[in-house]
Structure formats: structure tokens, C-alpha cells
Amino acid sequence: MRLFKTVLEMSAFSKKARLNGKSIGLVPTMGYLHEGHLSLVKASIDSSDLTVVSIFVNPVQFGKNEDLAKYPRNMKRDLALLKKAGVDVVFAPEVSEMYPNGYITYVSPQGGLEGLLEGEIRPGHFRGVMTVVAKLLNITEPDKAFFGQKDAQQCLIIKKLVRDLNFKAEILILPTVREADGLAKSSRNSYLDAKERVTAPAIYKALQIAQQMINLGERNPAVVIAGMRRLIGCEKNIKIEYAVITDPETLQPVSSIDGRVLALVAARVGKTRLIDNILIDRKVGSHHRRKNAKTHV
Ligand code: PAF
């Protein structure tokens, strides 16, 4: 496994690989890897000649009062995991390599998606995500890039980025990987103390309640949302930021549940902010629970 820290090395590798007719899969990460990341790595390895994993805690996507400074990092462990997984290249640039002095160019979403949900609570977040993903796509020139459904809004925005700016990479979205008790895997789960860890799965349970209510015939999103809120409300140390039922493409709230909808929750468990979502297909029979959907975009 090769480790590149400079854009020059990474670009030269990709250029040569492409000249040799090799396909490249990219898995962009901020490190502190968990099984969710590793499922993306596996999908890339299974479908590409070469797999590049980027590890870069992108300062531009963190707000002023967010967790940039304390975001968990463990490069040594990450490298060992990626080597074991069979990754070909790790691209782990310093901040000054990605945003050198005099850096002025950013990619911003405009026209709806960015002002909703995560975008509303974390202004500028998607500008940071789009900018870094655009840079990573240019530097690594992948045929495919892999992202996790847990960050549903990010997935939609990255699909738009690729379409709107004519990037060549195909974007693949893989299902959320969960702990045995349903909690979505996230690097930020490491912030939870023992008590918080016990209550955090209420977020996923609320999503499951939404699924059950819809499968049993509930069509009124307000009633479903009330059910979700009630469930999470039982936990003293969880504060909901949003619990919504939306159109899976536009993320606009639906007025009636008539087809596929996306249920999303963001909540603070103690001080830790966690997000999760599931796609719910109304067409599925009432007693048949659909597994967490593969992709919705
Ligand atoms: O999902 C993440 O870890 C990050 O937002 C990403 C896509 C690696 C960009 O920094």
C-alpha cells in the first residue's frame, strides 16, 4: 500500500494508472475508520482495479463552533485497517497541501438543498464538502467514488456536484452500516460516554417506528413525526434537532405519504450530534418490512 501526502504524487499515480488502462475507485473519508468506511472500501476493491482512500479532516466543512479540533484521528490504526483491507493507495494530505496560502476557490450549492436540514443547522457545511470532493475527484480521477447513505443529504449534493460540473466519476451510495443495536456507525460515536451509548440507538428506533407506522397504513407525516418524537422524547439525554419525513430527492417535507419517503433525524446525545435516516417505501406490503434501502439517488 502506498501513502501519498502531496497532490503531485497522487495525481501522477492516477495519471499513470489511467494510461495503463486501470480503473480507479475512490473512497473519500475523514479517517477514524469504522465498518461503514470499510464497506465502501470493499465495494471499491470488488469493482475497481485500484482503490484509493483519502483521509483528510476537511476544515472547510466545519463551522466555527463545531468539532474540528477534537475530531477523532488515528492515522496509524487507519493505515493498518486499510492495508489489511487491500487498499492500493492512501491519500492523506496536510491542510496546507489542499488549501495552500492564497487559496480562494470554493464550490457552493445553490437552489434549495443546501438551506435544508444539515445545511440549515450547519451553514457552509456543504460548501466545504463540495469543495473538497471536487478537489479529490480532480486529484484522483476515479471512475467510481463511494459514499455512505448515512449522510443522505451529502449524497444528494455530491450527485448534483458531479452532474452539474461534469465530473466523470460514477457516484455509488452504499447502505448505512449499523451496530448490533441499530446505532449507525459513525466516527462521532466515539464521543459518547457509556450512558449516552446506551440511549443513542433511540434515533434508529424512532426511524423504525416511522417505518412501522407507514407500513401499517399511516399516511399523515405529522402523525408519524409525532411518533418518532415521542420515542426519542423518552430519553432524557437526547435532544432532537430535526425529525422529518421528506421527498427522497428534494428533501422537502411531504404533505402526505404516498410513495417513497426519506425519514431523517438529527439529534444531540449529550453534546454529540448524530444523524441517521431510512428510506421507507409505502408500496411495500404492511407486514413486509423493507431492509434499509441500498440507494435512493
Ligand atoms: O463524509 C465524509 O466523511 C466527508 O464529508 C467527506 C465526504 C469525506 C468530505 O470531507
Side-chain angles (χ1 to χ4, degrees):
M1 187 175 79
R2 320 267 301 265
L3 170 62
F4 296 139
K5 297 208 148 239
T6 66
V7 171
L8 208 65
E9 287 170 298
M10 185 63 245
S11 304
F13 176 92
S14 289
K15 194 171 172 196
K16 194 168 160 206
R18 296 188 71 81
L19 279 174
N20 290 333
K22 305 279 190 207
S23 64
I24 299 173
L26 170 68
V27 181
T29 81
M30 299 207 299
Y32 213 73
L33 304 176
H34 51 67
E35 283 162 48
H37 297 116
L38 295 177
S39 77
L40 307 181
V41 167
K42 185 174 182 310
S44 174
I45 290 175
D46 288 348
S47 64
S48 318
D49 295 324
L50 296 166
T51 290
V52 176
V53 176
S54 62
I55 298 180
F56 180 63
V57 182
N58 174 34
V60 183
Q61 71 188 71
F62 287 79
K64 262 199 199 107
N65 300 319
E66 294 185 11
D67 56 345
L68 173 62
K70 69 164 191 173
Y71 194 84
R73 293 161 168 90
N74 191 340
M75 186 60 84
K76 211 173 145 193
R77 181 174 162 275
D78 288 349
L79 292 177
L81 284 170
L82 295 176
K83 191 170 176 194
K84 192 164 162 234
V87 164
D88 300 283
V89 173
V90 174
F91 177 49
E94 297 294 335
V95 172
S96 58
E97 182 69 11
M98 292 294 269
Y99 302 108
N101 277 343
Y103 188 93
I104 57 166
T105 307
Y106 297 87
V107 184
S108 300
Q110 257 161 49
L113 270 178
E114 78 284 357
L116 303 167
L117 307 174
E118 291 303 288
E120 189 179 0
I121 291 170
R122 307 182 67 188
H125 171 65
F126 288 121
R127 171 181 184 258
V129 170
M130 277 182 127
T131 300
V132 82
V133 171
K135 286 171 70 66
L136 290 168
L137 291 175
N138 277 330
I139 295 164
T140 61
E141 291 186 66
D143 297 274
K144 294 178 180 174
F146 297 82
F147 298 87
Q149 168 66 22
K150 196 203 69 160
D151 300 302
Q153 193 172 4
Q154 168 171 285
C155 291
L156 286 168
I157 282 179
I158 289 171
K159 284 228 163 192
K160 295 259 192 215
L161 164 77
V162 164
R163 197 196 63 181
D164 293 351
L165 295 188
N166 311 102
F167 284 99
K168 302 288 178 290
E170 182 187 352
I171 301 301
L172 290 128
I173 312 298
L174 270 83
T176 303
V177 177
R178 301 183 179 282
E179 302 288 353
D181 57 12
L183 178 65
K185 299 250 184 193
S186 163
S187 307
R188 289 189 169 99
N189 291 350
S190 64
Y191 297 149
L192 300 172
D193 68 23
K195 259 198 194 148
E196 291 163 352
R197 177 63 191 80
V198 171
T199 52
I203 294 173
Y204 181 55
K205 286 193 192 122
L207 294 168
Q208 286 181 304
I209 284 285
Q211 184 159 39
Q212 278 163 23
M213 291 174 80
I214 293 169
N215 284 351
L216 288 172
E218 185 55 62
R219 300 289 169 252
N220 182 348
V223 174
V224 177
I225 291 167
M228 292 162 75
R229 287 188 165 272
R230 226 176 2 256
L231 191 137
I232 294 179
C234 294
E235 304 295 350
K236 278 201 198 80
N237 63 358
I238 307 188
K239 259 216 181 106
I240 297 176
E241 285 190 348
Y242 57 77
V244 288
I245 307 285
T246 73
D247 177 285
E249 308 296 328
T250 63
L251 299 187
Q252 292 291 343
V254 292
S255 52
S256 152
I257 301 167
D258 296 321
R260 288 191 326 156
V261 291
L262 194 64
L264 303 106
V265 172
R268 281 192 188 270
V269 184
K271 287 200 173 104
T272 303
R273 187 169 188 279
L274 299 177
I275 59 171
D276 199 353
N277 69 87
I278 57 171
L279 185 70
I280 302 171
D281 200 336
R282 193 206 112 158
K283 279 177 240 120
V284 175
S286 38
H287 301 294
H288 179 132
R289 231 192 71 209
R290 186 186 157 128
K291 275 183 107 190
N292 197 6
K294 247 203 183 106
T295 170
H296 68 281
V297 278

